[in-house]
Amino acid sequence: MARGVRLVFATLLLLTLLDVCRGSKIGVCYGRNADDLPTPDKVAKLVQLHNIKYLRIYDSNIQVLKAFANTGVELMIGIPNLDLLPFSQFQTNADTWLKNSILPYYPATKIAYITVGAEVTEAPNNVSALVVPAMQNVFTALRKAGLHKKIKVSSTHSLGVLSRSFPPSAGAFNSSHAFFLKPLLEFLSEKESPFMVDLYPYFAYRDNSHNVSLDYALFESSSEVIDPNTGLLYTNMFDAQIDALYYALMALNFGAIKIMVTETGWPSKGSTKETAASPDNAQTYNTNLIRHVINDTGTPAKPGDELDVYIFSLFNENRKPGLESERNWGLFYPGQTSVYKLDFTGRGVVDMTTEANVTSSNGTWCIASSTASEVDLQSALDWACGPGNVDCSAIQPSQPCFEPDNLVSHASYAFNNYYQQNGATDIACGFGGTGYRTNKNPSYDSCLYMTTGSKKTAASNITMSPLTSSSTRKGSSTWICSCLLVTFLAFF
Ligand SMILES: *[C@@H]1O[C@H](CO)[C@@H](O)[C@H](O)[C@H]1NC(C)=O
Ligand SMILES: *[C@@H]1O[C@H](CO)[C@@H](O)[C@H](O)[C@H]1NC(C)=O
Ligand SMILES: *[C@@H]1O[C@H](CO)[C@@H](O)[C@H](O)[C@H]1NC(C)=O
Ligand SMILES: *[C@@H]1O[C@H](CO)[C@@H](O)[C@H](O)[C@H]1NC(C)=O
Ligand SMILES: *[C@@H]1O[C@H](CO)[C@@H](O)[C@H](O)[C@H]1NC(C)=O
Ligand SMILES: *[C@@H]1O[C@H](CO)[C@@H](O)[C@H](O)[C@H]1NC(C)=O
Ligand SMILES: *[C@@H]1O[C@H](CO)[C@@H](O)[C@H](O)[C@H]1NC(C)=O
């Protein structure tokens, strides 16, 4: 028991520590172009249970803003291209929107970014010229409310803003966009807002598979592409695309603007011609992406740099037009089961848990924290036995694990089943902070807890991996983090 309490305490300490040592962030895009998605309230639960901390939405839907109140999830919200005209025309339009659509929900709902327009250079009507005036009005509205330092204003772009992206050092903006890009870059630089870009190595590969290797697009390449101007070696397309943008910014003297990736991902299914769209490739891309980003690897031109990345997308969206792949970018089916398993091993958290020797024995189990609130435990239990697809029959009355008939005991059984079926990573033991791992087998009498590898059924379908975004960070805070880590380890 004493050990259990110590473990809980140490886990809490670890979580605090990870918060202090935050580096690059991984978020997820919550697109809603579908008619079969769960309600925003259910989505908020799903997101929390999977420890997703950063979410991008494409509008300022009130149900969504309300659903994420007091969840700790940080939102990036959007003003759609269709609204750019009113926002650009009159300051009062931006003021009214802020007052009616945002302020009533803030700060209970955390909001860190407002994206004004999305990929305007790809938009059918020529709306580019409206972007900066609209951004300016939104910024002014925020300033009047005293929020311009807390909520950053930017706009997202496709890589199509570049006219050249290879070699990366030759990256350059398309001069036909200069009329709006120049004031945009001045705005971002002045307000210290990031340049937001949506990057899709998938499309680069699909549309040019003769010249681009799949391995290079999936971060799996064993060979390197050399940039003849800089001598830098590129092992993946993602880095090459980011650096192309970075050099394009540098060329205009805006190299200090931070780059943020507001969409990237890989579809799990496509039309017959889209052979690279598969669950395996999607899993490979996103897993490698997370590993690549989470420990602040940076890019060849900016090694060690933090980079915030949003994975597209939370759900498959059945109403998106276009090729089959368009409707298959999700990490989750609308039914909230995961499309493929996302393996997070190699992340900071996992490394530290291993170092702390929680996993050193032959097995690990996931159980419920006795200090978690009843409400949190109940909702995590309901989730595990519902969308989580756990077989909860053993905790029903007269079944072997019904006694002791209490929430902690029942939740422990359900958490562990979920954990074992989903790769036994510490992510699979998140449960919104109510689960923790132990190396002591919790089985008793005839109530047998599943052990690692004991049941593989349906793993490919129900597995999911709650995303976390914390990690250790290099640079100035490494020392502090190491100190805290030592403190953490001392508890074992
Ligand atoms: C879009 O509008 C701007 C300003 O109104 C103009 O300079 C630019 O040439 C237009 N671009 C296209 C592709 O029509
Ligand atoms: C630059 O943008 C214009 C207008 O969108 C487009 O017609 C042209 O093809 C682009 N040039 C390059 C090199 O991408
Ligand atoms: C693809 O490679 C071939 C030969 O290596 C080259 O001739 C062609 O221009 C390349 N195509 C593109 C789009 O880069
Ligand atoms: C973390 O970053 C380093 C480079 O800084 C890289 O070599 C290493 O492979 C990364 N770790 C993982 C798990 O990807
Ligand atoms: C974990 O435990 C094993 C066996 O008890 C030991 O050999 C190993 O050195 C430990 N690892 C760490 C990082 O403490
Ligand atoms: C762990 O497994 C090894 C062999 O796989 C076995 O010899 C050892 O006794 C096991 N240890 C425990 C604590 O079960
Ligand atoms: C996974 O689940 C989806 C929907 O829940 C179903 O359509 C699909 O057939 C399942 N796949 C497997 C391999 O069980």
Side-chain angles (χ1 to χ4, degrees), residues 291 295 297 346 474:
R291 279 187 200 159
N295 76 349
T297 310
K474 296 208 196 71

Side-chain angles (χ1 to χ4, degrees), residues 130-160:
L130 308 176
V131 171
V132 178
M135 285 167 74
Q136 194 68 57
N137 288 345
V138 171
F139 179 84
T140 302
L142 285 168
R143 199 184 51 211
K144 289 195 227 165
L147 294 175
H148 59 295
K149 295 241 165 69
K150 297 199 165 121
I151 303 180
K152 297 274 182 192
V153 176
S154 191
S155 180
T156 67
H157 305 280
S158 83
L159 204 61

Side-chain angles (χ1 to χ4, degrees), residues 126-129 176-177 179:
N126 184 3
V127 290
S128 304
S176 40
H177 302 315
F179 73 94

Side-chain angles (χ1 to χ4, degrees), residues 242-376:
I242 289 183
D243 279 358
L245 181 58
Y246 169 64
Y247 282 107
L249 288 168
M250 286 247 285
L252 299 178
N253 265 325
F254 287 106
I257 294 178
K258 202 180 149 184
I259 294 170
M260 185 182 235
V261 178
T262 38
E263 281 180 16
T264 189
W266 200 279
S268 61
K269 197 171 154 195
S271 63
T272 44
K273 276 188 288 184
E274 300 179 284
T275 50
S278 70
D280 275 358
N281 287 342
Q283 179 188 45
T284 302
Y285 181 82
N286 284 327
T287 302
N288 287 341
L289 170 78
I290 291 165
R291 279 187 200 159
H292 182 65
V293 166
I294 206 77
N295 76 349
D296 295 344
T297 310
T299 63
K302 300 184 93 178
D305 243 36
E306 281 177 26
L307 182 68
D308 296 345
V309 174
Y310 287 74
I311 295 178
F312 190 88
S313 186
L314 191 60
F315 294 109
N316 283 341
E317 294 169 76
N318 66 359
R319 289 176 66 177
K320 288 188 74 186
L323 289 174
E324 179 70 12
S325 60
E326 282 301 319
R327 292 170 289 286
N328 289 285
W329 288 89
L331 301 177
F332 293 93
Y333 292 109
Q336 307 188 47
T337 54
S338 70
V339 178
Y340 49 87
K341 181 177 158 189
L342 250 191
D343 185 6
F344 280 73
T345 39
R347 270 183 338 116
V349 177
V350 173
D351 288 344
M352 278 192 253
T353 313
T354 311
E355 277 181 71
N357 241 341
V358 173
T359 58
S360 66
S361 75
N362 286 349
T364 57
W365 291 265
C366 171
I367 60 178
S369 160
S370 52
T371 58
S373 82
E374 215 163 278
V375 176
D376 290 349

